[in-house]
Amino acid sequence: MKYLVLFGPPGSGKGTQSENIIKKYGYAHISTGDVLRAETANQTPLGVEAKKFMDAGQLVPDSLIIDMLAKTMDSYTDAKGIIFDGFPRTVAQAQALKEMLGKRGADVTVMINLQVDNDELIKRLLERGKTSGRSDDNLETIKKRLDTYNSQTAPVIDFYKEDGKLENIKGVGSIDDIFNAISKVIDAK
Ligand code: B4P
C-alpha cells in the first residue's frame, strides 16, 4: 500500500489535487480538514472544540488530531493507497504518523510539497471564501493561517527531507499540469 502525504500551505491545492489522485489511482483519502468540518457541522464534542481554533486561523491541538487520524486510518486496511491531505501539519504529527505506520510495518512512501507564493495563496483563499462557507474567508484569518503555517507547519518539510521522502512540486499553473507532475512522482514510486 502506498502512503502519500500531500503537503502545502493553506490554499496550495491539496484538496483540489486529492480529487484528481482519487479519480486516477483509486486511493483512499483522509483530509483532516474535511473530517474536522464534518465534526463541526455535527456539533460533536471534537467539532465544538476544533471550531474555536479553526475560526482563529490556528491549528487544532495535536492530541485531538492524532487520535482522530488513528481512528480514521483503521477503517482503511484494504486500500491500494492512502492520501493524507492536510496531515501532518506539525513535526509532532509527522512523528506520530511514522509511529502509526511503523506499527503496520509501513512508512510514508512520498511527501509531495506543493509550492505556492503568498500573493497567489491569498488571492485563491479570498476567491474560495466567497462561496466556501469556511472561516478563512477574510484577509485577517488568512494572514493568521499563513503565519501559523510558517511557524508550525513549514518545519515538517525538513522532517521529510531528512527522511528522504520529500518531492517539491510547483503548485502554480494549470490544475492539469500540476496533476501531471504529481502523477509522475507517484508512478516513479
Ligand atoms: P484544510 O481543509 O486542509 O484546507 P486548506 O489548507 O485551506 O486548503 P487546500 O490546500 O486543500 O486548498 P484547496 O485545494 O481548497 O484546512 C482547514 C483547517 O483545518 C486548518 O486551518 C486547520 O485549522 C484545520 N486542520 C486541518 N488539518 C489539521 C491538522 N493536521 N492539524 C491541525 N489542524 C488542522 O485550494 C484552494 C483554492 O485554490 C480553491 O478554491 C481551488 O479551486 C483553487 N486552486 C487550486 N489549485 C489551483 C491552481 N493550480 N490554480 C488556481 N487556483 C487553484
Side-chain angles (χ1 to χ4, degrees):
M1 194 190 300
K2 287 185 185 173
Y3 296 96
L4 220 86
V5 171
L6 197 54
F7 186 89
S12 55
K14 301 180 291 290
T16 305
Q17 295 298 342
S18 286
E19 283 176 27
N20 287 330
I21 299 171
I22 296 162
K23 264 189 226 144
K24 180 167 176 182
Y25 295 94
Y27 290 176
H29 176 225
I30 302 178
S31 158
T32 40
D34 286 351
V35 178
L36 290 170
R37 280 185 288 276
E39 297 273 344
T40 303
N42 292 328
Q43 298 194 337
T44 64
L46 168 61
V48 171
E49 184 63 16
K51 187 174 188 309
K52 294 181 214 157
F53 295 94
M54 292 167 85
D55 285 353
Q58 293 170 358
L59 294 179
V60 176
D62 285 336
S63 55
L64 297 179
I65 295 284
I66 290 166
D67 277 0
M68 180 181 96
L69 186 100
K71 278 185 207 132
T72 312
M73 208 164 75
D74 282 342
S75 55
Y76 292 119
T77 43
D78 296 332
K80 281 189 276 182
I82 297 182
I83 310 162
F84 296 101
D85 164 4
F87 179 93
R89 262 178 157 95
T90 62
V91 172
Q93 291 181 16
Q95 282 160 342
L97 180 61
K98 198 167 177 69
E99 265 175 46
M100 271 185 249
L101 292 177
K103 282 183 194 153
R104 297 176 160 206
D107 198 359
V108 165
T109 311
V110 63
M111 185 266 221
I112 294 175
N113 178 31
L114 294 173
Q115 298 177 307
V116 181
D117 59 88
N118 267 12
D119 288 351
E120 173 73 13
L121 294 171
I122 291 171
K123 201 172 89 187
R124 288 184 190 177
L125 291 173
L126 285 173
E127 192 56 38
R128 183 179 74 182
K130 287 180 191 168
T131 53
S132 66
R134 295 193 190 191
S135 43
D136 59 351
D137 61 354
N138 60 87
L139 197 56
E140 196 192 344
T141 309
I142 290 169
K143 285 192 167 160
K144 277 190 198 145
R145 285 201 66 194
L146 292 173
D147 286 347
T148 304
Y149 171 81
N150 286 322
S151 60
Q152 290 177 258
T153 305
V156 172
I157 297 171
D158 279 342
F159 178 93
Y160 285 106
K161 191 176 176 189
E162 282 161 24
D163 215 13
K165 311 282 186 193
L166 172 66
E167 290 281 350
N168 290 314
I169 288 188
K170 190 174 150 222
V172 183
S174 85
I175 290 172
D176 285 349
D177 286 348
I178 297 164
F179 181 57
N180 282 337
I182 292 175
S183 291
K184 279 192 188 143
V185 168
I186 297 175
D187 293 340
K189 297 288 163 189

